[in-house]
Amino acid sequence: FWGHIVSQPSSTISFILDKLQLAHEYEHVEFISGTRSEHFLKNVNRRGYVPVIEDSGFKIYESAAIARYLLDSYDKDEVLLPRTDRKARAKVEEWLDI
């Protein structure tokens, strides 16, 4: 998981990873444009955005997409994302897009 501590999108992903008790490593990426390493830009995310996760070789960025991926893949007990109550799910999804 690549992110920045003051990035709200990174904080959202960190919260989800922690709440679902998913083992992960955190790599800090500089927040200021133009300071990201060439390695990050070439190998992680050419657009330079954080957060980014890698799951079994699959990289994904954009916090809402990452959150949905993690919740759909790993929240089998509906800890954070209800599956049967569509209204409750819609309220969670509203927050994912902020």
Side-chain angles (χ1 to χ4, degrees):
F1 157 55
W2 293 265
H4 191 283
I5 195 161
V6 298
S7 160
Q8 180 56 47
S10 294
S11 295
T12 297
I13 301 310
S14 181
F15 172 81
I16 291 170
L17 290 167
D18 291 342
K19 192 72 171 175
L20 296 179
Q21 300 178 345
L22 298 173
H24 63 280
E25 295 178 18
Y26 174 78
E27 188 168 328
H28 178 79
V29 177
E30 282 302 321
F31 199 63
I32 301 168
S33 182
T35 62
R36 291 176 182 92
S37 72
E38 191 166 326
H39 170 78
F40 180 81
L41 293 171
K42 281 185 175 181
N43 300 301
V44 179
N45 184 356
R46 312 182 254 160
R47 298 180 75 188
Y49 298 158
V50 294
V52 178
I53 66 162
E54 183 173 10
D55 186 28
S56 300
F58 174 64
K59 287 187 183 125
I60 186 170
Y61 64 93
E62 292 296 341
S63 61
I66 295 168
R68 284 183 178 90
Y69 172 81
L70 291 172
L71 294 170
D72 286 340
S73 299
Y74 298 105
D75 191 14
K76 304 302 180 198
D77 294 329
E78 301 183 33
V79 172
L80 296 173
L81 185 65
R83 291 193 177 17
T84 54
D85 183 342
R86 290 187 180 139
K87 290 179 182 177
R89 182 181 177 113
K91 286 298 182 184
V92 172
E93 298 236 3
E94 281 180 336
W95 283 100
L96 295 178
D97 291 322
I98 292 177

